[in-house]
Amino acid sequence: ELIESELFGHMRGAFTGAVADKPGRFEQADGGTIFLDEIGDMSLKTQAKVLRVLQEQVMERVGGTQRIKVDVRVLAATNKELPGEIRAGRFREDLYFRLNVIPIFVPPLRERQQDIPMLAEHFIAMLAAEDGKRPKRLAPEAAARLQQYSWPGNVRELRNVIERLLIFVSGDTITAQDLGFLGRDGVPEAAAMQGPVQPLSEARDRFEKDYILQTLAAQQGSGVALDTGLRRASK
């Protein structure tokens, strides 16, 4: 019900919480482009409504009866193998063929190893800019080590690994030794699996607290450094 409200909009009183009329994403994208991510997870009921929009270029808001005409270019993506989902009865065959006009297959990261260093450099620059820090350098042997890993989690996993490195690597250069927690077959090394896995937010806070204490020691407990450290540590 919520995804249909997001895509097609709803009328006031259509369901609990619908206190006003609301246009959907298809209406908002009229004359432009809408991107439907993970379309393989969409319910069969919603698939039928999306198919109607694609075929007839008309839709109705949830709880409404007025036919609304929309002209939208649709881009859809999924990480599922849709022919298999069709055979299992989880995806409509007619919607698949309606969407499959210009298919673009993006191979997994392990099949495009030449892209890994470039993506790693991109995430280093992006995450460093978000934190207001100077980007670290990725040593050639570290880049080669990233290319040897099979990346079962694809680009999302690569981003998380880069974020972990930016938090825990204290120097300006990321070396191959810093990547010792990566296994060679898509499984982290046993040493990295010992003990409970700490949430990233807690690991970041611990790193910041340790960094503050080191800064205080380097400043020999000056008043300014002490004040800054207390505020950050209390976070």
Side-chain angles (χ1 to χ4, degrees), residues 19-41:
V19 296
D21 295 351
K22 176 186 174 183
R25 301 298 184 180
F26 275 103
E27 283 184 73
Q28 295 173 1
D30 185 36
T33 302
I34 186 171
F35 174 53
L36 304 177
D37 197 11
E38 301 297 354
I39 197 170
D41 296 330

Side-chain angles (χ1 to χ4, degrees), residues 99-186:
L99 289 170
N100 196 31
V101 178
I102 305 177
I104 301 174
F105 175 71
V106 181
L109 197 55
R110 62 180 177 273
E111 295 181 10
R112 45 192 175 109
Q113 295 180 340
Q114 70 279 3
D115 293 344
I116 293 175
M118 178 183 64
L119 289 169
E121 295 285 359
H122 164 72
F123 287 131
I124 289 173
M126 181 185 72
L127 294 170
E130 288 179 359
D131 292 338
K133 299 177 180 178
R134 185 173 61 182
K136 296 183 185 295
R137 188 180 75 88
L138 186 67
E141 65 273 14
R145 178 68 189 86
L146 291 175
Q147 289 178 296
Q148 294 170 1
Y149 184 58
S150 59
W151 299 108
N154 288 301
V155 177
R156 290 185 180 93
E157 184 182 10
L158 175 60
R159 184 191 187 282
N160 291 341
V161 166
I162 295 301
E163 186 170 14
R164 173 175 176 171
L165 293 169
L166 293 181
I167 292 172
F168 287 107
V169 174
S170 57
D172 292 331
T173 301
I174 298 172
T175 67
Q177 287 71 28
D178 297 321
L179 292 163
F181 60 90
L182 288 182
R184 296 187 178 275
D185 298 315

Side-chain angles (χ1 to χ4, degrees), residues 6 10 39 67 110 114 119 135 152 172 174 193 216 221 224 231:
E6 283 296 316
H10 62 253
I39 197 170
R67 292 163 57 93
R110 62 180 177 273
Q114 70 279 3
L119 289 169
D172 292 331
I174 298 172
M193 298 297 290
L216 288 173
V224 174
R231 288 203 305 272

